[in-house]
Amino acid sequence: MLRPEDIHRLCRLARLEITSTEVPDVSAKLSSIVAMVDELQAVETAGVAPMAHPLDRPQRLRPDTVTEVDR
């Protein structure tokens, strides 16, 4: 669980303003996010090729052409 000092520091860095009554709720939510990241990091991914897209289809890309002049 994150300490209230940690929450206030994170909010200051993110330029978010929260009240003292919101700290427990924010702490619980951030702690659950950290727990989920820990679960994801525990998954064995050795030998798994990275994917650009979860579906095995070519991506539709627009042509790389100039559409406006530089002023």
Side-chain angles (χ1 to χ4, degrees):
M1 193 82 157
L2 294 168
R3 299 173 305 173
E5 303 86 39
D6 298 329
I7 300 300
H8 286 293
R9 183 169 184 267
L10 287 170
C11 288
R12 183 177 50 81
L13 291 171
R15 297 184 188 272
L16 298 173
E17 185 177 339
I18 63 169
T19 63
S20 296
T21 58
E22 295 172 308
V23 170
D25 185 47
V26 171
S27 177
K29 289 177 180 176
L30 285 176
S31 293
S32 69
I33 292 170
V34 170
M36 183 185 67
V37 170
D38 287 341
E39 278 185 51
L40 290 173
Q41 288 179 337
V43 174
E44 181 59 41
T45 58
V48 177
M51 299 185 306
H53 196 277
L55 301 176
D56 190 21
R57 296 182 184 168
Q59 292 190 14
R60 296 177 291 179
L61 301 175
R62 65 174 172 77
D64 190 17
T65 57
V66 176
T67 57
E68 298 178 14
V69 294
D70 186 18
R71 295 187 214 185

